[in-house]
Amino acid sequence: MTSQAPVLIVGAGPAGLVAALTLLRNGIQVRIIDKEPAHRRGQRGSGMTPRSLELFRFLEVPEVEQTAKPPFPMRIYKPGTLKPVKTFPLTPYMDPTPNFPYYNPRMIGQQTLEAILRSHLEKLSCFVELGTELRSFEQDNERVLAHILRRDHDKEHVETVECRWLIGGDGAKGVTRKLLGLTFVGETRDDVVFITGDTRFSSQSIDREHWHVFSSADTKSLNIRPSDEIAPDGFQFHMMGNGISHLMSDRQALFDHIRSVTTATDIEFGELSWLSDFRPNVRMVDKFGVGRVFVAGDAAHIHSPTGGQGMNSSIQDAFNLCWKISLVIKSFAHPFLLTTYTTERVPVIAEMLKLTTQVLSKTVVLTTNTAQDTLQHNQRMHMLGVNYRLSPIVLDEFTPHPADVDSYGPIHMTSLVAGDRAPDASALLAYEGGLDGTAVMLSESHMLFDIFRPWYHTILLFTADVAWAKAMARSVVLDPTIIRKVVVIPKAAPDPKECDPDLDFILRDDEGHAFAGYHVGEEESRIFVVRPDGFLGAIIKGEEGLRQYFDGILGPNDTQRP
């Protein structure tokens, strides 16, 4: 049996699901398969960075923000006792600002996140095909022929899927990377074992207001985090140490060990709903794809869970790749654009591996004295400073040679360079055309993050001269389904006399949040092009910069672009 699909996605974890949703939001049909017979259980990686919260807003998945909870304060105990010696936040709280509406990480279990994402796929008539695995594929310049096997009870069904592109989000043990022959460079840390699981228990000694961290001679750390997603009495635990592997096969020994390390003899255990063990691997591929087949998430890189970056990096992989695939499938861009998936993501992931490995090395020698320095997340972990400044497809006419910063850098509050995250701005007032054609200001305010979407580029024209903005907008001749043109005027500018069909929005920045966040003076005129993934593709002066940027993304085409 042979079938067709524009894109086949292998693996229905966070990377695969975000890839599927990004493509569907772009109007691209997909098939997504997973070899497991049922949806995965387990909280697994449960930390959600501020940058991921932003991306889910762009994807129109509000349930993530609504469901995710702030992390509990971490409480460190004297080894072998229930005596707390230190309590501190997982990350110092920072008040949201108009340019950074998500400044603090949140917690949401992977099982919950995946269910939310599947519900959005299903609204778009896309369903994860369980019990279906990739066996092999071959590809040429035009297509991929993927051979898949679906198990239905005791029957097996073989199918060949003809697709234009294949995305492997099937994890570190998946087949896509192996079939591509990609090297998985790195190391396995044999000096430590991790055991993690979800359970239910009652105890007067261990409350539900803290993230508890215990230790003992053979267990370097035992973290216990309350989670209502599991059950009203649910907890997720992470255990790290030596000589603990036998606990995987003996539930009672596991429970006894937790009682022993915590010294909480009053723990009454209930269901153990999920359990897994692993040794930390620090590995990544040297390229994220070959031809028409790509890898994302754990299929491309794997590392220690310390730092909570893995699931979030997988989400960003998928987001980076799929807006590009969408433009190629729609024939707006040349497939060469897809080579930038590797050039942009490899430096980011290399820095992430370095960062999380440093945290792991500190964690394996954790003491009560070093706990806060080791476990408390710094600002880099928020991923708001992740950037593509060195990408070959970004253009900056104001800072053509930006300062040498790493791709996982801290937030740069004093400058903005092409390749950086595009800031938000709140309290923007919009105009619309009245019955007589004049521009009328609306009372409802807007945020830039409610305009950015993964299916188009957003051209932000900062100026007090609306006539200049209209001229720049008319110079960009692109299909309106992949572009939005937005004028942002300062408080001192006169009201526009009319709305223009070449402009999607005219926004007044009375509070000054947009001009300040984008580092533009109120008397200046400057153009920012925000990519579908929320990064600044270009910071430019005028028509020639617009032409150069879009030629770099889409390739020269006189019928589609300036």
Side-chain angles (χ1 to χ4, degrees):
M1 176 182 174
T2 302
S3 60
Q4 293 183 326
V7 181
L8 176 65
I9 298 172
V10 182
L17 292 169
V18 170
L21 185 56
T22 304
L23 290 165
L24 288 166
R25 293 282 194 232
N26 274 275
I28 306 299
Q29 294 303 303
V30 305
R31 284 183 67 180
I32 179 168
I33 64 175
D34 196 286
K35 69 177 182 179
E36 298 297 330
H39 297 304
R40 277 176 290 273
R41 303 182 69 182
Q43 294 276 288
R44 302 173 189 263
S46 52
M48 180 72 63
T49 67
R51 184 54 174 165
S52 293
L53 290 168
E54 293 181 349
L55 299 186
F56 282 120
R57 184 171 190 138
F58 301 158
L59 274 172
E60 299 182 354
V61 186
E63 298 91 338
V64 172
E65 182 181 350
Q66 294 163 2
T67 305
K69 301 289 194 300
F72 292 108
M74 305 202 78
R75 173 163 284 180
I76 311 300
Y77 293 83
K78 182 179 179 180
T81 75
L82 279 166
K83 181 181 179 181
V85 295
K86 187 175 293 186
T87 301
F88 55 87
L90 176 66
T91 183
Y93 178 82
M94 297 180 68
D95 288 324
T97 72
N99 303 130
F100 293 90
Y102 304 100
Y103 240 150
N104 302 287
R106 310 275 283 190
M107 306 300 295
I108 183 170
Q110 192 167 316
Q111 178 178 337
T112 303
L113 174 64
E114 291 177 3
I116 290 171
L117 292 173
R118 288 195 303 270
S119 73
H120 281 268
L121 298 189
E122 291 163 6
K123 292 174 185 176
L124 298 169
S125 301
C126 177
F127 299 84
V128 175
E129 300 174 40
L130 294 170
T132 306
E133 63 179 289
L134 175 68
R135 302 301 295 270
S136 64
F137 63 79
E138 56 263 9
Q139 63 171 313
D140 57 30
N141 291 334
E142 302 295 328
R143 64 179 183 174
V144 181
L145 291 177
H147 307 291
I148 64 176
L149 175 68
R150 177 168 59 85
R151 292 185 173 86
D152 185 6
H153 300 294
D154 58 345
K155 296 181 180 179
E156 294 186 348
H157 306 272
V158 177
E159 180 183 352
T160 297
V161 180
E162 180 181 338
C163 53
R164 294 183 61 183
W165 308 95
L166 188 151
I167 300 172
D170 47 349
K173 297 180 180 179
V175 301
T176 308
R177 182 189 68 253
K178 297 171 185 176
L179 291 171
L180 277 178
L182 297 176
T183 56
F184 212 26
V185 179
E187 63 173 350
T188 300
R189 294 285 296 264
D190 291 320
D191 57 330
V192 65
V193 173
F194 280 86
I195 294 178
T196 182
D198 299 343
T199 188
R200 300 174 64 175
F201 68 73
S202 61
S203 170
Q204 296 298 313
S205 305
I206 299 177
D207 63 44
R208 298 187 64 79
E209 286 77 46
H210 294 90
W211 190 332
H212 308 273
V213 182
F214 300 93
S215 61
S216 67
D218 58 354
T219 303
K220 293 293 184 181
S221 70
L222 168 60
N223 300 353
I224 300 177
R225 180 181 70 87
S227 174
D228 291 340
E229 294 176 37
I230 300 170
D233 57 351
F235 291 85
Q236 180 186 23
F237 65 87
H238 292 276
M239 186 184 304
M240 182 187 68
N242 296 305
I244 60 175
S245 296
H246 67 283
L247 300 177
M248 285 294 299
S249 58
D250 189 334
R251 171 177 165 170
Q252 189 56 51
L254 175 68
F255 289 165
D256 290 343
H257 188 75
I258 292 174
R259 286 194 189 95
S260 174
V261 174
T262 62
T263 69
T265 57
D266 64 340
I267 295 180
E268 294 293 334
F269 283 98
E271 178 188 15
L272 178 66
S273 56
W274 177 73
L275 188 67
S276 180
D277 69 331
F278 58 93
R279 293 182 183 275
N281 278 277
V282 183
R283 300 180 183 276
M284 68 177 290
V285 293
D286 58 347
K287 54 185 175 181
F288 279 47
V290 176
R292 292 179 168 270
V293 181
F294 301 92
V295 290
D298 286 356
H301 46 82
I302 188 169
H303 54 91
S304 161
T306 51
Q309 303 294 284
M311 177 178 67
N312 298 280
S313 296
S314 299
I315 291 165
Q316 292 200 31
D317 286 349
F319 219 61
N320 182 289
L321 172 62
C322 289
W323 72 265
K324 298 172 181 175
I325 284 184
S326 298
L327 287 175
V328 173
I329 288 178
K330 294 176 182 178
S331 299
F332 289 117
H334 188 277
F336 173 78
L337 177 64
L338 300 178
T339 64
T340 65
Y341 173 48
T342 286
T343 56
E344 290 187 342
R345 292 303 292 165
V346 163
V348 172
I349 297 304
E351 286 295 329
M352 184 267 289
L353 292 182
K354 185 188 303 182
L355 183 63
T356 55
T357 300
Q358 290 171 352
V359 178
L360 173 64
S361 297
K362 292 181 179 180
T363 303
V364 297
V365 293
L366 188 74
T367 68
T368 55
N369 292 329
T370 63
Q372 184 167 354
D373 177 64
T374 300
L375 300 177
Q376 193 169 61
H377 290 188
N378 62 39
Q379 197 181 75
R380 293 181 73 193
M381 299 289 197
H382 294 180
M383 303 176 105
L384 295 169
V386 168
N387 67 84
Y388 302 129
R389 288 187 175 192
L390 300 181
S391 170
I393 57 172
V394 304
L395 173 65
D396 197 316
E397 294 183 332
F398 293 88
T399 314
H401 304 291
D404 186 17
V405 299
D406 67 59
S407 298
Y408 226 82
I411 301 169
H412 294 276
M413 304 295 287
T414 59
S415 65
L416 201 59
V417 175
D420 289 351
R421 160 196 173 274
D424 192 13
S426 58
L428 300 170
L429 298 174
Y431 294 87
E432 72 172 7
L435 294 176
D436 59 355
T438 59
V440 178
M441 185 188 294
L442 303 178
S443 59
E444 181 182 357
S445 65
H446 292 256
M447 300 171 63
L448 289 180
F449 276 10
D450 289 333
I451 295 174
F452 301 160
R453 288 297 179 265
W455 50 91
Y456 44 66
H457 278 78
T458 302
I459 300 175
L460 296 177
L461 300 138
F462 282 79
T463 186
D465 184 352
V466 175
W468 172 84
K470 290 178 180 179
M472 293 300 103
R474 291 191 187 107
S475 75
V476 181
V477 185
L478 282 168
D479 189 298
T481 63
I482 63 168
I483 201 82
R484 264 191 175 176
K485 305 169 187 177
V486 180
V487 179
V488 185
I489 62 175
K491 181 178 181 179
D495 288 322
K497 294 180 180 179
E498 60 184 9
C499 291
D500 191 290
D502 287 311
L503 300 173
D504 293 285
F505 291 94
I506 300 178
L507 302 173
R508 174 175 289 280
D509 185 23
D510 278 356
E511 301 294 328
H513 300 317
F515 275 81
Y518 281 77
H519 302 280
V520 182
E522 291 195 358
E523 297 181 358
E524 288 185 80
S525 292
R526 189 172 296 195
I527 303 172
F528 298 80
V529 182
V530 181
R531 304 188 333 178
D533 57 358
F535 286 88
L536 291 171
I539 305 178
I540 46 187
K541 300 175 182 178
E543 184 176 341
E544 181 56 36
L546 284 167
R547 182 191 300 274
Q548 185 178 345
Y549 172 74
F550 282 109
D551 280 356
I553 294 291
L554 306 176
N557 184 333
D558 292 339
T559 64
Q560 287 294 321
R561 289 174 305 285

